[in-house]
Amino acid sequence: MHVVFIINGAKKKLKTLPDYIRQSVSSSHTCTFHFTQQPGHAISLANAAAANAQLIVAVGGDGSLNECVEGVMQFSTFHPLAELPKIALLPEGSGNDFARNFGWPKSVNNFLQRLANNKYVKVDVGAIEYGTHETDYFINAASAGLGPQVVRLVGKMPFGWNGNIKFGLAAIGALLSYKKKEARVQGGGQIFNEKILAVVCANGKYFGSGIGIAPEAELSDGLLNITLIGNLGLWQYLRYLPALKRCEKIMHPQVHYFTTNELKVEMQGGFEKDGELGKNAPARVYCIPSKLELLL
């Protein structure tokens, strides 16, 4: 199997990873290693690798995985009949929300054991089609409203800080500064016309470094789990934070949960997807069922 590792080059401790993996993997695997040089670089690396790799491994956090998925999906757009490479994640990020869906630790040896087990599952991919007809992709969660503001604030914090600290402080800062916007959200037989704090389109259960925003989400059910949050503020967020960390549903009249395979969002502002900034609404968010095979 030809395995391409795309490694977050900003993490200096990963410089020696290729040597360790070469010494540890089966001789049946041919491994190639690429280090990213700037944000967005993993997209082009994954796009190029998709032509001949059988497995692409994102080494980093949710953003690294998102860029690899973007690259593979872009390749698929231009080569619709091509067999796509399988994907994998070696968690080395600060939030690691996608890895939480499976309980994967930040451990190279755990990843190598998973690679040796050679078990895969088909997972859905989310797509955001903007009014400009451009499309972004996500594998874990995308959101509009408060989420992009949180991502911007996280990006301004020191690189080495703990993910829970960064996302926790950013969430509080965003709640203090964000002004709720009028929105029209339509999907799953639901229509909302009101000011909202956030709308989250979840494929996985967690986002924001351990916030269980979609407790019933499944990665392979062909549906997006929507969590729409209306007129809630900082104190309500802090009150419900323990339940969110336990991945429990919030019972509040301003919090709505439903599922759909397509959602239309009209509001001012942009999206974030898997912790990376996207483009501006309006947009159609939809699910592409069983699009990629993921290493378990």
Short mmCIF file of all heavy atoms in Angstrom, two decimals, residues 100-160:
data_model
loop_
_atom_site.label_atom_id
_atom_site.label_comp_id
_atom_site.label_asym_id
_atom_site.label_seq_id
_atom_site.Cartn_x
_atom_site.Cartn_y
_atom_site.Cartn_z
N ARG A 100 -12.11 12.57 18.82
CA ARG A 100 -12.97 12.25 19.96
C ARG A 100 -14.12 11.33 19.58
O ARG A 100 -14.63 10.59 20.42
CB ARG A 100 -13.53 13.54 20.58
CG ARG A 100 -12.57 14.31 21.45
CD ARG A 100 -13.28 15.49 22.12
NE ARG A 100 -12.44 16.09 23.14
CZ ARG A 100 -11.54 17.04 22.91
NH1 ARG A 100 -11.38 17.51 21.68
NH2 ARG A 100 -10.81 17.52 23.88
N ASN A 101 -14.55 11.38 18.34
CA ASN A 101 -15.63 10.49 17.91
C ASN A 101 -15.25 9.02 18.05
O ASN A 101 -16.13 8.17 18.17
CB ASN A 101 -15.99 10.77 16.44
CG ASN A 101 -16.67 12.10 16.24
OD1 ASN A 101 -17.80 12.31 16.69
ND2 ASN A 101 -15.99 13.03 15.57
N PHE A 102 -13.95 8.73 18.04
CA PHE A 102 -13.47 7.36 18.10
C PHE A 102 -12.64 7.07 19.35
O PHE A 102 -12.21 5.94 19.55
CB PHE A 102 -12.63 7.05 16.85
CG PHE A 102 -13.37 7.26 15.56
CD1 PHE A 102 -13.29 8.46 14.89
CD2 PHE A 102 -14.17 6.25 15.03
CE1 PHE A 102 -13.98 8.66 13.69
CE2 PHE A 102 -14.85 6.44 13.85
CZ PHE A 102 -14.77 7.65 13.18
N GLY A 103 -12.38 8.10 20.15
CA GLY A 103 -11.54 7.91 21.33
C GLY A 103 -10.08 7.71 21.01
O GLY A 103 -9.34 7.09 21.79
N TRP A 104 -9.62 8.23 19.85
CA TRP A 104 -8.21 8.08 19.47
C TRP A 104 -7.34 9.01 20.30
O TRP A 104 -7.59 10.23 20.36
CB TRP A 104 -8.00 8.41 18.00
CG TRP A 104 -8.68 7.48 17.06
CD1 TRP A 104 -9.01 6.17 17.26
CD2 TRP A 104 -9.11 7.80 15.73
NE1 TRP A 104 -9.62 5.65 16.15
CE2 TRP A 104 -9.70 6.62 15.19
CE3 TRP A 104 -9.05 8.95 14.94
CZ2 TRP A 104 -10.23 6.57 13.91
CZ3 TRP A 104 -9.57 8.90 13.66
CH2 TRP A 104 -10.15 7.73 13.15
N PRO A 105 -6.29 8.52 20.92
CA PRO A 105 -5.37 9.37 21.67
C PRO A 105 -4.31 9.99 20.76
O PRO A 105 -4.16 9.59 19.60
CB PRO A 105 -4.70 8.40 22.65
CG PRO A 105 -4.66 7.11 21.89
CD PRO A 105 -5.93 7.08 21.05
N LYS A 106 -3.60 10.97 21.29
CA LYS A 106 -2.44 11.53 20.57
C LYS A 106 -1.27 10.57 20.78
O LYS A 106 -0.46 10.74 21.67
CB LYS A 106 -2.11 12.93 21.08
CG LYS A 106 -3.17 13.97 20.75
CD LYS A 106 -2.88 15.32 21.40
CE LYS A 106 -1.66 15.98 20.83
NZ LYS A 106 -1.49 17.38 21.31
N SER A 107 -1.22 9.55 19.95
CA SER A 107 -0.23 8.48 20.13
C SER A 107 0.15 7.91 18.78
O SER A 107 -0.71 7.39 18.05
CB SER A 107 -0.80 7.37 21.02
OG SER A 107 -0.01 6.21 20.94
N VAL A 108 1.43 7.99 18.44
CA VAL A 108 1.91 7.42 17.19
C VAL A 108 1.76 5.91 17.21
O VAL A 108 1.34 5.29 16.21
CB VAL A 108 3.39 7.81 16.95
CG1 VAL A 108 3.90 7.15 15.66
CG2 VAL A 108 3.53 9.32 16.85
N ASN A 109 2.04 5.29 18.34
CA ASN A 109 1.94 3.84 18.42
C ASN A 109 0.50 3.36 18.26
O ASN A 109 0.25 2.30 17.66
CB ASN A 109 2.53 3.34 19.74
CG ASN A 109 4.04 3.45 19.76
OD1 ASN A 109 4.70 3.40 18.71
ND2 ASN A 109 4.62 3.62 20.94
N ASN A 110 -0.45 4.12 18.81
CA ASN A 110 -1.85 3.76 18.63
C ASN A 110 -2.22 3.83 17.15
O ASN A 110 -2.91 2.94 16.63
CB ASN A 110 -2.75 4.71 19.42
CG ASN A 110 -4.23 4.48 19.15
OD1 ASN A 110 -4.81 5.09 18.25
ND2 ASN A 110 -4.84 3.60 19.93
N PHE A 111 -1.73 4.87 16.45
CA PHE A 111 -2.01 4.98 15.02
C PHE A 111 -1.39 3.80 14.27
O PHE A 111 -2.02 3.21 13.38
CB PHE A 111 -1.46 6.29 14.46
CG PHE A 111 -1.46 6.31 12.96
CD1 PHE A 111 -2.63 6.56 12.25
CD2 PHE A 111 -0.30 6.02 12.25
CE1 PHE A 111 -2.64 6.53 10.87
CE2 PHE A 111 -0.31 5.98 10.85
CZ PHE A 111 -1.49 6.24 10.17
N LEU A 112 -0.15 3.45 14.59
CA LEU A 112 0.52 2.35 13.89
C LEU A 112 -0.23 1.03 14.10
O LEU A 112 -0.29 0.20 13.18
CB LEU A 112 1.96 2.23 14.37
CG LEU A 112 2.88 3.39 13.95
CD1 LEU A 112 4.23 3.28 14.63
CD2 LEU A 112 3.05 3.43 12.42
N GLN A 113 -0.82 0.85 15.27
CA GLN A 113 -1.62 -0.35 15.51
C GLN A 113 -2.88 -0.33 14.66
O GLN A 113 -3.27 -1.35 14.09
CB GLN A 113 -1.98 -0.44 17.00
CG GLN A 113 -2.73 -1.73 17.36
CD GLN A 113 -1.93 -2.97 17.04
OE1 GLN A 113 -0.83 -3.16 17.53
NE2 GLN A 113 -2.48 -3.85 16.18
N ARG A 114 -3.50 0.84 14.54
CA ARG A 114 -4.68 0.96 13.69
C ARG A 114 -4.33 0.68 12.23
O ARG A 114 -5.08 0.03 11.50
CB ARG A 114 -5.31 2.35 13.83
CG ARG A 114 -5.96 2.60 15.18
CD ARG A 114 -6.83 3.83 15.16
NE ARG A 114 -6.09 5.08 15.23
CZ ARG A 114 -6.14 6.04 14.33
NH1 ARG A 114 -6.89 5.91 13.25
NH2 ARG A 114 -5.44 7.14 14.49
N LEU A 115 -3.17 1.18 11.80
CA LEU A 115 -2.72 0.95 10.44
C LEU A 115 -2.50 -0.54 10.19
O LEU A 115 -2.87 -1.08 9.13
CB LEU A 115 -1.44 1.73 10.18
CG LEU A 115 -0.85 1.67 8.76
CD1 LEU A 115 -1.83 2.27 7.75
CD2 LEU A 115 0.49 2.39 8.70
N ALA A 116 -1.92 -1.21 11.17
CA ALA A 116 -1.68 -2.65 11.04
C ALA A 116 -2.99 -3.45 11.03
O ALA A 116 -3.11 -4.47 10.33
CB ALA A 116 -0.79 -3.14 12.18
N ASN A 117 -4.00 -2.97 11.76
CA ASN A 117 -5.30 -3.67 11.81
C ASN A 117 -6.03 -3.59 10.47
O ASN A 117 -6.85 -4.46 10.15
CB ASN A 117 -6.17 -3.07 12.91
CG ASN A 117 -5.66 -3.40 14.30
OD1 ASN A 117 -4.85 -4.30 14.49
ND2 ASN A 117 -6.12 -2.64 15.28
N ASN A 118 -5.76 -2.51 9.71
CA ASN A 118 -6.27 -2.40 8.33
C ASN A 118 -7.80 -2.48 8.26
O ASN A 118 -8.37 -3.14 7.40
CB ASN A 118 -5.64 -3.48 7.46
CG ASN A 118 -5.78 -3.17 5.96
OD1 ASN A 118 -5.69 -2.02 5.55
ND2 ASN A 118 -6.01 -4.20 5.16
N LYS A 119 -8.48 -1.76 9.16
CA LYS A 119 -9.95 -1.73 9.14
C LYS A 119 -10.42 -0.33 8.77
O LYS A 119 -9.90 0.67 9.28
CB LYS A 119 -10.51 -2.12 10.52
CG LYS A 119 -10.23 -3.58 10.89
CD LYS A 119 -10.84 -3.91 12.24
CE LYS A 119 -10.58 -5.37 12.61
NZ LYS A 119 -11.16 -5.70 13.95
N TYR A 120 -11.44 -0.28 7.92
CA TYR A 120 -11.93 0.99 7.40
C TYR A 120 -13.44 1.07 7.51
O TYR A 120 -14.13 0.04 7.58
CB TYR A 120 -11.51 1.18 5.93
CG TYR A 120 -10.02 1.27 5.74
CD1 TYR A 120 -9.24 0.11 5.61
CD2 TYR A 120 -9.37 2.50 5.71
CE1 TYR A 120 -7.87 0.18 5.46
CE2 TYR A 120 -7.99 2.58 5.56
CZ TYR A 120 -7.25 1.43 5.43
OH TYR A 120 -5.89 1.51 5.29
N VAL A 121 -13.94 2.30 7.52
CA VAL A 121 -15.38 2.53 7.52
C VAL A 121 -15.68 3.67 6.54
O VAL A 121 -14.89 4.61 6.42
CB VAL A 121 -15.89 2.89 8.93
CG1 VAL A 121 -15.27 4.18 9.45
CG2 VAL A 121 -17.42 3.00 8.94
N LYS A 122 -16.78 3.56 5.80
CA LYS A 122 -17.19 4.64 4.92
C LYS A 122 -17.84 5.75 5.74
O LYS A 122 -18.69 5.47 6.58
CB LYS A 122 -18.15 4.13 3.85
CG LYS A 122 -17.48 3.24 2.81
CD LYS A 122 -18.43 2.89 1.68
CE LYS A 122 -17.71 2.08 0.61
NZ LYS A 122 -18.61 1.74 -0.52
N VAL A 123 -17.43 6.99 5.48
CA VAL A 123 -17.97 8.12 6.22
C VAL A 123 -18.51 9.17 5.25
O VAL A 123 -18.07 9.27 4.10
CB VAL A 123 -16.91 8.76 7.15
CG1 VAL A 123 -16.50 7.80 8.25
CG2 VAL A 123 -15.70 9.23 6.35
N ASP A 124 -19.46 9.94 5.75
CA ASP A 124 -20.04 11.03 4.97
C ASP A 124 -19.09 12.22 4.94
O ASP A 124 -18.24 12.39 5.82
CB ASP A 124 -21.36 11.48 5.59
CG ASP A 124 -22.35 10.33 5.77
OD1 ASP A 124 -22.27 9.35 5.01
OD2 ASP A 124 -23.19 10.43 6.69
N VAL A 125 -19.27 13.06 3.94
CA VAL A 125 -18.56 14.34 3.85
C VAL A 125 -19.60 15.44 3.70
O VAL A 125 -20.58 15.29 2.96
CB VAL A 125 -17.60 14.36 2.64
CG1 VAL A 125 -17.00 15.75 2.44
CG2 VAL A 125 -16.48 13.34 2.84
N GLY A 126 -19.42 16.53 4.43
CA GLY A 126 -20.30 17.68 4.30
C GLY A 126 -19.76 18.65 3.26
O GLY A 126 -18.55 18.78 3.07
N ALA A 127 -20.67 19.33 2.58
CA ALA A 127 -20.29 20.31 1.56
C ALA A 127 -21.03 21.61 1.82
O ALA A 127 -22.20 21.60 2.24
CB ALA A 127 -20.61 19.79 0.16
N ILE A 128 -20.36 22.73 1.58
CA ILE A 128 -20.96 24.06 1.70
C ILE A 128 -20.87 24.72 0.34
O ILE A 128 -19.78 25.08 -0.12
CB ILE A 128 -20.23 24.93 2.74
CG1 ILE A 128 -20.01 24.17 4.05
CG2 ILE A 128 -21.02 26.22 3.01
CD1 ILE A 128 -19.09 24.90 5.03
N GLU A 129 -22.00 24.86 -0.31
CA GLU A 129 -22.05 25.50 -1.63
C GLU A 129 -22.52 26.93 -1.45
O GLU A 129 -23.65 27.18 -1.03
CB GLU A 129 -22.99 24.74 -2.56
CG GLU A 129 -23.05 25.30 -3.97
CD GLU A 129 -24.06 24.57 -4.82
OE1 GLU A 129 -25.26 24.91 -4.73
OE2 GLU A 129 -23.66 23.64 -5.54
N TYR A 130 -21.64 27.87 -1.73
CA TYR A 130 -21.93 29.28 -1.50
C TYR A 130 -22.69 29.90 -2.68
O TYR A 130 -22.79 29.30 -3.75
CB TYR A 130 -20.63 30.04 -1.25
CG TYR A 130 -19.83 29.51 -0.09
CD1 TYR A 130 -18.75 28.65 -0.30
CD2 TYR A 130 -20.15 29.84 1.22
CE1 TYR A 130 -18.01 28.14 0.75
CE2 TYR A 130 -19.41 29.34 2.29
CZ TYR A 130 -18.35 28.49 2.05
OH TYR A 130 -17.63 27.99 3.10
N GLY A 131 -23.19 31.10 -2.45
CA GLY A 131 -23.88 31.82 -3.51
C GLY A 131 -23.01 32.12 -4.70
O GLY A 131 -23.50 32.36 -5.81
N THR A 132 -21.70 32.10 -4.50
CA THR A 132 -20.74 32.31 -5.59
C THR A 132 -20.49 31.04 -6.40
O THR A 132 -19.68 31.04 -7.32
CB THR A 132 -19.39 32.78 -5.01
OG1 THR A 132 -18.92 31.79 -4.08
CG2 THR A 132 -19.55 34.11 -4.27
N HIS A 133 -21.14 29.94 -6.00
CA HIS A 133 -21.00 28.61 -6.62
C HIS A 133 -19.67 27.95 -6.28
O HIS A 133 -19.33 26.91 -6.86
CB HIS A 133 -21.20 28.67 -8.14
CG HIS A 133 -22.52 29.24 -8.55
ND1 HIS A 133 -23.72 28.62 -8.28
CD2 HIS A 133 -22.84 30.39 -9.19
CE1 HIS A 133 -24.71 29.34 -8.73
NE2 HIS A 133 -24.21 30.43 -9.29
N GLU A 134 -18.92 28.54 -5.36
CA GLU A 134 -17.73 27.86 -4.82
C GLU A 134 -18.19 26.87 -3.75
O GLU A 134 -19.22 27.05 -3.11
CB GLU A 134 -16.77 28.88 -4.21
CG GLU A 134 -16.23 29.90 -5.19
CD GLU A 134 -15.45 31.00 -4.48
OE1 GLU A 134 -16.09 31.90 -3.91
OE2 GLU A 134 -14.22 30.94 -4.51
N THR A 135 -17.40 25.82 -3.55
CA THR A 135 -17.77 24.79 -2.59
C THR A 135 -16.60 24.48 -1.65
O THR A 135 -15.47 24.29 -2.11
CB THR A 135 -18.20 23.49 -3.29
OG1 THR A 135 -19.30 23.77 -4.17
CG2 THR A 135 -18.64 22.44 -2.29
N ASP A 136 -16.89 24.44 -0.36
CA ASP A 136 -15.96 23.97 0.65
C ASP A 136 -16.48 22.64 1.20
O ASP A 136 -17.68 22.33 1.10
CB ASP A 136 -15.85 24.96 1.82
CG ASP A 136 -14.95 26.14 1.51
OD1 ASP A 136 -14.08 26.01 0.63
OD2 ASP A 136 -15.11 27.19 2.16
N TYR A 137 -15.57 21.87 1.81
CA TYR A 137 -15.94 20.57 2.35
C TYR A 137 -15.54 20.48 3.82
O TYR A 137 -14.64 21.17 4.29
CB TYR A 137 -15.28 19.45 1.55
CG TYR A 137 -15.69 19.46 0.09
CD1 TYR A 137 -14.91 20.12 -0.87
CD2 TYR A 137 -16.86 18.83 -0.32
CE1 TYR A 137 -15.30 20.14 -2.20
CE2 TYR A 137 -17.24 18.85 -1.66
CZ TYR A 137 -16.46 19.51 -2.59
OH TYR A 137 -16.86 19.55 -3.90
N PHE A 138 -16.22 19.60 4.54
CA PHE A 138 -15.85 19.34 5.93
C PHE A 138 -16.19 17.90 6.26
O PHE A 138 -17.04 17.28 5.61
CB PHE A 138 -16.57 20.31 6.89
CG PHE A 138 -18.08 20.21 6.89
CD1 PHE A 138 -18.75 19.43 7.83
CD2 PHE A 138 -18.84 20.91 5.96
CE1 PHE A 138 -20.13 19.35 7.83
CE2 PHE A 138 -20.22 20.84 5.96
CZ PHE A 138 -20.88 20.05 6.90
N ILE A 139 -15.53 17.36 7.25
CA ILE A 139 -15.78 15.98 7.65
C ILE A 139 -16.33 15.89 9.07
O ILE A 139 -16.96 14.90 9.44
CB ILE A 139 -14.49 15.13 7.52
CG1 ILE A 139 -14.83 13.63 7.58
CG2 ILE A 139 -13.45 15.52 8.57
CD1 ILE A 139 -13.68 12.73 7.18
N ASN A 140 -16.15 16.93 9.87
CA ASN A 140 -16.59 16.90 11.26
C ASN A 140 -17.77 17.84 11.51
O ASN A 140 -18.85 17.40 11.86
CB ASN A 140 -15.43 17.25 12.19
CG ASN A 140 -15.79 17.03 13.64
OD1 ASN A 140 -16.24 15.94 14.02
ND2 ASN A 140 -15.63 18.05 14.47
N ALA A 141 -17.58 19.15 11.34
CA ALA A 141 -18.66 20.10 11.60
C ALA A 141 -18.37 21.43 10.93
O ALA A 141 -17.20 21.83 10.79
CB ALA A 141 -18.86 20.31 13.10
N ALA A 142 -19.43 22.11 10.54
CA ALA A 142 -19.34 23.47 10.00
C ALA A 142 -20.37 24.33 10.73
O ALA A 142 -21.41 23.82 11.17
CB ALA A 142 -19.60 23.48 8.50
N SER A 143 -20.10 25.62 10.85
CA SER A 143 -21.04 26.48 11.55
C SER A 143 -20.98 27.90 11.01
O SER A 143 -19.97 28.33 10.43
CB SER A 143 -20.77 26.49 13.06
OG SER A 143 -19.57 27.19 13.37
N ALA A 144 -22.08 28.62 11.22
CA ALA A 144 -22.18 30.04 10.91
C ALA A 144 -22.65 30.76 12.17
O ALA A 144 -23.25 30.16 13.06
CB ALA A 144 -23.14 30.28 9.76
N GLY A 145 -22.37 32.04 12.24
CA GLY A 145 -22.72 32.82 13.42
C GLY A 145 -21.51 32.98 14.33
O GLY A 145 -20.47 33.51 13.92
N LEU A 146 -21.62 32.47 15.54
CA LEU A 146 -20.56 32.64 16.54
C LEU A 146 -19.29 31.88 16.17
O LEU A 146 -18.18 32.35 16.46
CB LEU A 146 -21.07 32.15 17.90
CG LEU A 146 -20.14 32.39 19.09
CD1 LEU A 146 -20.12 33.86 19.47
CD2 LEU A 146 -20.57 31.54 20.29
N GLY A 147 -19.42 30.72 15.53
CA GLY A 147 -18.27 29.85 15.29
C GLY A 147 -17.10 30.52 14.59
O GLY A 147 -15.95 30.39 15.05
N PRO A 148 -17.31 31.23 13.47
CA PRO A 148 -16.18 31.88 12.82
C PRO A 148 -15.48 32.90 13.69
O PRO A 148 -14.25 33.05 13.61
CB PRO A 148 -16.84 32.56 11.61
CG PRO A 148 -18.04 31.73 11.32
CD PRO A 148 -18.54 31.30 12.67
N GLN A 149 -16.24 33.59 14.56
CA GLN A 149 -15.60 34.55 15.47
C GLN A 149 -14.70 33.84 16.47
O GLN A 149 -13.61 34.32 16.79
CB GLN A 149 -16.68 35.36 16.20
CG GLN A 149 -16.15 36.37 17.21
CD GLN A 149 -15.37 37.52 16.59
OE1 GLN A 149 -15.25 37.60 15.36
NE2 GLN A 149 -14.82 38.39 17.40
N VAL A 150 -15.14 32.68 16.95
CA VAL A 150 -14.31 31.88 17.85
C VAL A 150 -13.02 31.46 17.15
O VAL A 150 -11.92 31.56 17.70
CB VAL A 150 -15.07 30.64 18.36
CG1 VAL A 150 -14.14 29.72 19.16
CG2 VAL A 150 -16.26 31.05 19.20
N VAL A 151 -13.14 31.00 15.90
CA VAL A 151 -11.97 30.56 15.14
C VAL A 151 -10.98 31.72 14.95
O VAL A 151 -9.76 31.54 15.08
CB VAL A 151 -12.41 29.98 13.78
CG1 VAL A 151 -11.21 29.76 12.87
CG2 VAL A 151 -13.16 28.67 13.99
N ARG A 152 -11.50 32.92 14.67
CA ARG A 152 -10.61 34.08 14.50
C ARG A 152 -9.84 34.37 15.79
O ARG A 152 -8.64 34.65 15.76
CB ARG A 152 -11.41 35.31 14.09
CG ARG A 152 -11.98 35.24 12.67
CD ARG A 152 -12.62 36.55 12.27
NE ARG A 152 -13.39 36.41 11.05
CZ ARG A 152 -14.69 36.16 11.01
NH1 ARG A 152 -15.38 36.07 12.14
NH2 ARG A 152 -15.31 36.02 9.85
N LEU A 153 -10.53 34.31 16.92
CA LEU A 153 -9.88 34.61 18.20
C LEU A 153 -8.86 33.53 18.56
O LEU A 153 -7.79 33.83 19.09
CB LEU A 153 -10.93 34.75 19.30
CG LEU A 153 -11.86 35.96 19.18
CD1 LEU A 153 -12.93 35.93 20.26
CD2 LEU A 153 -11.06 37.26 19.27
N VAL A 154 -9.18 32.28 18.28
CA VAL A 154 -8.22 31.20 18.52
C VAL A 154 -6.95 31.43 17.71
O VAL A 154 -5.83 31.22 18.20
CB VAL A 154 -8.84 29.83 18.18
CG1 VAL A 154 -7.77 28.74 18.12
CG2 VAL A 154 -9.90 29.45 19.20
N GLY A 155 -7.11 31.89 16.48
CA GLY A 155 -5.96 32.13 15.61
C GLY A 155 -5.03 33.21 16.10
O GLY A 155 -3.86 33.28 15.68
N LYS A 156 -5.50 34.08 16.99
CA LYS A 156 -4.67 35.16 17.51
C LYS A 156 -3.92 34.76 18.79
O LYS A 156 -3.11 35.54 19.30
CB LYS A 156 -5.54 36.38 17.81
CG LYS A 156 -6.19 36.99 16.56
CD LYS A 156 -7.09 38.16 16.92
CE LYS A 156 -7.74 38.76 15.68
NZ LYS A 156 -8.65 39.88 16.01
N MET A 157 -4.20 33.56 19.31
CA MET A 157 -3.58 33.13 20.57
C MET A 157 -2.27 32.40 20.31
O MET A 157 -2.04 31.90 19.21
CB MET A 157 -4.56 32.22 21.33
CG MET A 157 -5.80 32.95 21.79
SD MET A 157 -6.93 31.89 22.70
CE MET A 157 -8.29 33.03 22.99
N PRO A 158 -1.39 32.36 21.31
CA PRO A 158 -0.10 31.68 21.14
C PRO A 158 -0.25 30.25 20.68
O PRO A 158 -1.14 29.52 21.14
CB PRO A 158 0.52 31.75 22.55
CG PRO A 158 -0.10 32.97 23.16
CD PRO A 158 -1.51 33.01 22.64
N PHE A 159 0.60 29.82 19.76
CA PHE A 159 0.49 28.53 19.10
C PHE A 159 0.55 27.37 20.09
O PHE A 159 -0.17 26.38 19.95
CB PHE A 159 1.61 28.38 18.06
CG PHE A 159 1.55 27.09 17.29
CD1 PHE A 159 0.62 26.93 16.27
CD2 PHE A 159 2.41 26.03 17.57
CE1 PHE A 159 0.56 25.74 15.55
CE2 PHE A 159 2.35 24.85 16.85
CZ PHE A 159 1.42 24.70 15.83
N GLY A 160 1.37 27.46 21.11
CA GLY A 160 1.59 26.34 21.99
C GLY A 160 0.59 26.17 23.12
O GLY A 160 0.70 25.23 23.91
#
